[in-house]
Amino acid sequence: MSQLPCLLSADPTAPFPPPDTALASPNGLLAIGGDLSVPRLLNAYRHGVFPWYSAGQPLLWWSPDPRTVFRIDREGVHLPSRFRRRLRRSAWTLRADHAFEAVIRRCAGIRRDGQRGTWITDAMIRAYLDLHRAGHAHSIEVVDDDGSGGGRLVGGLYGVAVGRMFFGESMFSAESGGSKVALAGLARRLHEWGWPLLDAQVENAHLLSLGAVAMPRAEFLGAVARQVALPSPPGDWRERFGTMAAMELAEGRPAAPPAG
């Protein structure tokens, strides 16, 4: 096990170091440096690596062991029964990619316990906007339909899709439960499409309460390699995701056949 993370080359398509060379403490720190260009980010995600650093730090790349995931092919996202009862009366609606920049900026503005500032820096926002324009970064938005046709953003998440694998990055709630609905709605669609995993990166109590599980890194990377090699389904995410009433999530997910 190396004692220092690898310094990346200037070539954004150069291979990342082997994941088993990542540090055990801090867990998963694999490499340092490079850039946040679209080719570099896609190279990273295809190999189960993601950037995570704070303002004032160098650019850091991670591949933790184990990896925190939602098993869409099994239990998926679990919503507490009390919360599902509340959804039966909800006027919220879910959609995708109508307000990507608003979602990532709201995620950047969230103040989290134990953190000073945010890891979603201005450079990260610019990079993921580029990735969104390239068709790989997506937002799931939860809006409160006020009858005006626009709706007020009450929660959301964003992440990266490569092939048939989704890598979650961050989520936010402007009203209680907004992020849970975004996550459960995304999981519902991924289940319908036959995508088996939703990457949640690093464990925390909130994710575990929603059904996230730990997956050994080697198993996770094997699954990622299979999923990113599959062709991305046709159509943009606005059309493919469509709209979903939050009340649809009140009864749990249906046993729909994979749509491919």
Side-chain angles (χ1 to χ4, degrees):
M1 183 68 67
S2 63
Q3 297 304 305
L4 293 173
C6 173
L7 182 63
L8 293 180
S9 79
D11 179 3
T13 65
F16 277 82
D20 60 7
T21 64
L23 302 186
S25 180
N27 179 16
L29 180 56
L30 179 66
I32 187 170
D35 56 53
L36 290 170
S37 65
V38 168
R40 178 92 65 180
L41 286 169
L42 291 178
N43 185 15
Y45 283 105
R46 287 189 179 106
H47 295 91
V49 177
F50 60 89
W52 186 25
Y53 70 107
S54 298
Q57 290 183 325
L59 182 48
L60 305 175
W61 301 88
W62 303 79
S63 180
D65 188 16
R67 190 69 162 240
T68 301
V69 301
F70 288 94
R71 294 297 304 258
I72 305 302
D73 57 350
R74 297 183 185 176
E75 295 301 320
V77 173
H78 168 71
L79 294 178
S81 33
R82 182 177 180 181
F83 183 71
R84 285 191 282 112
R85 287 195 297 271
R86 179 181 138 198
L87 288 180
R88 295 188 186 114
R89 304 182 300 276
S90 176
W92 293 355
T93 301
L94 292 87
R95 64 191 190 188
D97 282 357
H98 287 254
F100 182 88
E101 184 170 359
V103 168
I104 192 171
R105 290 192 180 280
R106 294 296 291 270
C107 289
I110 295 294
R111 292 295 172 256
R112 308 177 196 276
D113 291 343
Q115 291 186 10
R116 296 170 58 189
T118 178
W119 59 270
I120 307 175
T121 62
D122 288 343
M124 289 281 269
I125 291 172
R126 290 193 299 270
Y128 282 83
L129 284 170
D130 288 343
L131 202 57
H132 174 63
R133 286 187 282 266
H136 287 283
H138 303 287
S139 58
I140 307 300
E141 303 126 21
V142 184
V143 296
D144 189 0
D145 187 358
D146 58 6
S148 67
R152 182 171 52 88
L153 197 59
V154 297
L157 63 80
Y158 77 96
V160 176
V162 182
R164 301 192 184 195
M165 179 71 201
F166 194 90
F167 304 88
E169 278 295 322
S170 187
M171 55 188 183
F172 82 95
S173 291
E175 291 193 12
S176 176
S179 63
K180 290 180 186 177
V181 170
L183 183 63
L186 172 61
R188 169 75 66 93
R189 284 291 187 256
L190 296 182
H191 173 67
E192 293 169 353
W193 299 344
W195 296 27
L197 286 180
L198 194 170
D199 177 35
Q201 298 182 344
V202 179
E203 174 184 302
N204 64 46
H206 180 60
L207 293 174
L208 294 179
S209 74
L210 294 172
V213 297
M215 178 180 281
R217 179 169 57 205
E219 182 182 352
F220 172 78
L221 295 177
V224 167
R226 291 190 296 272
Q227 293 305 120
V228 301
L230 295 173
S232 298
D236 67 34
W237 268 57
R238 280 194 184 196
E239 295 178 358
R240 187 164 170 77
F241 190 94
T243 59
M244 180 190 304
M247 64 177 62
E248 293 180 36
L249 302 170
E251 305 304 325
R253 71 183 190 186

